[in-house]
Amino acid sequence: MINVAIMGHGVVGSGVAEILIRSKEHIAKGVKEDINVKYILDLRSFDELDYKDKFTTDFNTILNDDEVKIVVEAMGGINPAYDFVKKCLSSGKSVVTSNKELVAEKGAELIKIANEKNVNFLFEASVGGGIPILRPMVQCLAANKITEVKGILNGTTNYILNKMIMDNMDFDTALKLAQDNGYAEKNPAADIEGHDACRKICILASLAFGKHIYPKQVETVGITDITLADIDYANAFNYVIKLIGKAKLLENGKVSINVRPTLVSRDYLLSDVNGVFNAVSVMGDSVDEVIFYGRGAGKLPTASAVVADIMDCAKHLETRKYLSWEDTDESIVEKEDEETKLYVRLTAKDFSLLEESFIKTFGNDIFAIKNKEKGELAFLTQKDFESKLTHKINTLKADKIKILHTL
Ligand code: HSE
C-alpha cells in the first residue's frame, strides 16, 4: 500500500480525494498496489464527509510521517505551497501539483531538488486541466525539435469570450457564470488579465525549450479591453477572438513568447474550441502540427490529471521522471518582429479626416468596416512586418487606436 497526503481540499483537492476513493479498485489495478489517502491538509473542517477523519491542520504531521511517499499540493498560490513542497521534496517525498503559479515561478528550483533527492515532481494538471499535454510533449514527441507551442490555455476567458460571441452576453455576467461553475481562479484577475495563461505558456515553453522562462519575461495582455464591438468586427472578417498564449523558437535560438487576445481565423481548428475547453498546438520539426484538446478547468478533469501523476509516481517511486528544465542566468526571451495581419480599430471625432488618412495610407483596396455615426473604422491589414505596419497605423488621424494580432 502506498500512502498519499493531499494538501488543500478546494476544487482540485476534493476532486483528487473523490477519484482516489471512488476509483480505488481501478487505480490499484493500474498501479498494482493500493493507494491510500492518509491525510488531507486543510484549515477548514468537513464534518459532513465520510472521510472526515483524514483531515489535519498541521503540515508537520504529513512531513514527519515516513509512510507518506507522495504528497499532492492543491492549495494554489506561492505561499505556503512553495515552502511545503520544498520541504516534502527535500525529505524524499514525491510531489504532484496542479499549481501553475508555483511551477511557473519556482519550477526549475523544485525540479532540481527532486532530481537531487531522486524523487518525482510532476505537474501535468498545471497546464490544460485534464488534457494530457506535458508528458506527451516530452515523451511521445521526443524525437522532435519543438519549434512552436501555442493555444487556448485559460478556460475562464475562453468561456467568457464564447458567451460574448455566441450569446451576445456581457462580460460580467459571463465571468460570474464561470466562477459559479468553479472554473475561475480565487482572484479572477489572474484569469481575465492573462496571468493564468501566462503561467501555463511559461511551463510549456520551459519544457519545450529546456530553460526556465519566468512570467515576468512574458508580454501579457488579458481580455478586459475586448468589447462586443470587437467581437462583431472580428466576425465580419471571419475571425473569432481568443486569448492565445504563444511561444516560438526563433532562428537565433531565442524564444518569442506572449499572451494576448488574438483574432483566430474561422478556418483554423482553434476557432472552434468553445466554453471551458482548452487546446494546445505543438509544432515539431518532424511531426508538424499536433493539437491537444479537452477540458482545461473544472474539478474532476483537473483531478484526473493529478491522479494519473500520483499513479505514475507510485509506479516509479525509485525512478526519476524526465520532466525537467534548467534555470538560466541569461534570458532566452526575445520579441519577434512578426510578419502578420493586424486587426485595427480606430475612433476619431473627425471621421472624414480619419477616412482620408486611411485611404492615403492603405489605398482603396483594403476592406474596412466604417461606422460614421460612432466615428469608427475597423480593418484587417495585409500580412506585413509588425513594426512597419504599426508605424503606418500610428500615422492615421485617429484619436484612439486598438490593435490586435491574428494567428
Ligand atoms: N482558472 C483556470 C482556467 C483554471 O480558467 O483555466 C484551470 O487552470
Side-chain angles (χ1 to χ4, degrees):
M1 185 170 77
I2 295 170
N3 285 297
V4 171
I6 302 170
M7 302 195 294
H9 194 260
V11 175
V12 179
S14 63
V16 172
E18 186 180 323
I19 296 178
L20 284 177
I21 293 166
R22 186 189 67 194
S23 305
K24 202 173 172 56
E25 278 173 28
H26 170 81
I27 290 167
K29 235 189 227 170
V31 179
K32 303 208 168 32
E33 244 185 291
D34 280 337
I35 303 273
N36 175 51
V37 179
K38 188 161 183 188
Y39 304 110
I40 300 176
L41 179 72
D42 206 296
L43 293 177
R44 299 162 294 178
S45 52
F46 295 85
D47 292 336
E48 72 285 5
L49 296 174
D50 27 337
Y51 55 89
K52 61 175 187 280
D53 297 342
K54 296 182 186 292
F55 281 84
T56 174
T57 54
D58 184 7
F59 166 67
N60 287 316
T61 307
I62 295 171
L63 184 66
N64 297 330
D65 188 334
D66 288 340
E67 282 188 358
V68 174
K69 298 291 179 209
I70 303 165
V71 179
V72 176
E73 186 279 301
M75 293 182 291
I78 298 289
N79 293 313
Y82 171 52
D83 181 43
F84 287 3
V85 168
K86 216 157 71 163
K87 285 182 172 146
C88 287
L89 291 171
S90 301
S91 73
K93 300 182 195 300
S94 286
V95 174
V96 172
T97 185
S98 57
N99 184 340
K100 43 259 150 140
E101 191 175 357
L102 180 71
V103 182
E105 294 288 354
K106 307 285 182 189
E109 183 189 346
L110 296 172
I111 288 166
K112 193 163 174 264
I113 300 173
N115 288 350
E116 282 162 9
K117 293 288 171 184
N118 201 30
V119 291
N120 294 298
F121 178 54
L122 300 182
F123 39 87
E124 183 63 62
S126 65
V127 180
I131 308 172
I133 168 67
L134 302 184
R135 205 180 268 95
M137 192 166 78
V138 292
Q139 291 186 345
C140 311
L141 299 178
N144 290 267
K145 177 174 172 183
I146 307 291
T147 54
E148 186 177 283
V149 50
K150 62 177 180 285
I152 295 165
L153 302 169
N154 182 268
T156 301
T157 45
N158 202 50
Y159 185 89
I160 293 172
L161 290 170
N162 199 222
K163 287 280 174 200
M164 292 171 82
I165 295 165
M166 306 297 283
D167 303 340
N168 217 31
M169 190 181 275
D170 68 71
F171 184 92
D172 292 335
T173 314
L175 172 60
K176 172 88 177 41
L177 277 177
Q179 284 174 311
D180 290 348
N181 283 314
Y183 303 144
E185 296 300 305
K186 272 185 219 148
N187 173 5
D191 295 296
I192 59 181
E193 286 170 11
H195 305 305
D196 179 73
C198 166
R199 290 165 189 148
K200 291 166 178 167
I201 195 67
C202 283
I203 297 170
L204 287 166
S206 301
L207 205 53
F209 306 121
K211 301 275 184 210
H212 197 129
I213 295 176
Y214 289 91
K216 64 173 189 280
Q217 298 175 283
V218 180
E219 181 196 330
T220 301
V221 182
I223 64 162
T224 48
D225 205 24
I226 301 299
T227 64
L228 284 170
D230 293 313
I231 302 269
D232 288 344
Y233 286 131
N235 186 41
F237 298 128
N238 206 29
Y239 283 76
V240 287
I241 299 179
K242 299 277 180 197
L243 185 67
I244 300 288
K246 181 171 153 187
K248 182 177 168 190
L249 185 64
L250 304 177
E251 272 171 23
N252 63 4
K254 299 270 183 179
V255 175
S256 158
I257 180 165
N258 51 60
V259 172
R260 53 197 177 198
T262 304
L263 271 74
V264 180
S265 164
R266 283 199 185 270
D267 296 333
Y268 184 45
L269 209 70
L270 259 54
S271 71
D272 260 336
V273 175
N274 295 322
V276 76
F277 281 81
N278 284 190
V280 186
S281 151
V282 181
M283 196 71 86
D285 62 348
S286 298
V287 73
D288 201 59
E289 186 174 24
V290 181
I291 298 184
F292 300 85
Y293 168 84
R295 289 191 180 274
K299 177 175 165 171
L300 293 178
T302 309
S304 123
V306 174
V307 173
D309 273 354
I310 297 172
M311 293 170 71
D312 201 5
C313 280
K315 286 195 275 188
H316 302 98
L317 277 180
E318 306 294 326
T319 318
R320 185 159 55 77
K321 303 291 294 180
Y322 292 88
L323 197 68
S324 71
W325 60 80
E326 288 170 359
D327 215 349
T328 171
D329 288 336
E330 209 185 304
S331 169
I332 60 161
V333 173
E334 184 176 291
K335 189 173 168 25
E336 184 193 20
D337 188 14
E338 204 178 345
E339 194 180 12
T340 184
K341 287 182 175 186
L342 294 172
Y343 159 84
V344 186
R345 181 174 162 198
L346 309 165
T347 315
K349 279 202 192 79
D350 189 338
F351 188 74
S352 313
L353 200 62
L354 169 65
E355 212 179 357
E356 208 177 283
S357 69
F358 171 72
I359 294 171
K360 214 161 131 197
T361 311
F362 287 97
N364 256 325
D365 303 339
I366 196 160
F367 172 56
I369 302 169
K370 295 171 188 172
N371 187 336
K372 236 177 215 170
E373 274 165 34
K374 280 194 178 167
E376 220 173 66
L377 182 154
F379 66 102
L380 208 59
T381 67
Q382 297 300 319
K383 219 170 178 192
D384 200 347
F385 286 97
E386 190 184 332
S387 57
K388 272 208 253 165
L389 277 170
T390 312
H391 181 72
K392 270 193 207 169
I393 291 157
N394 286 337
T395 63
L396 298 173
K397 303 284 180 224
D399 302 331
K400 252 171 74 187
I401 301 176
K402 181 185 257 184
I403 298 175
L404 298 176
H405 284 72
T406 60
L407 198 61

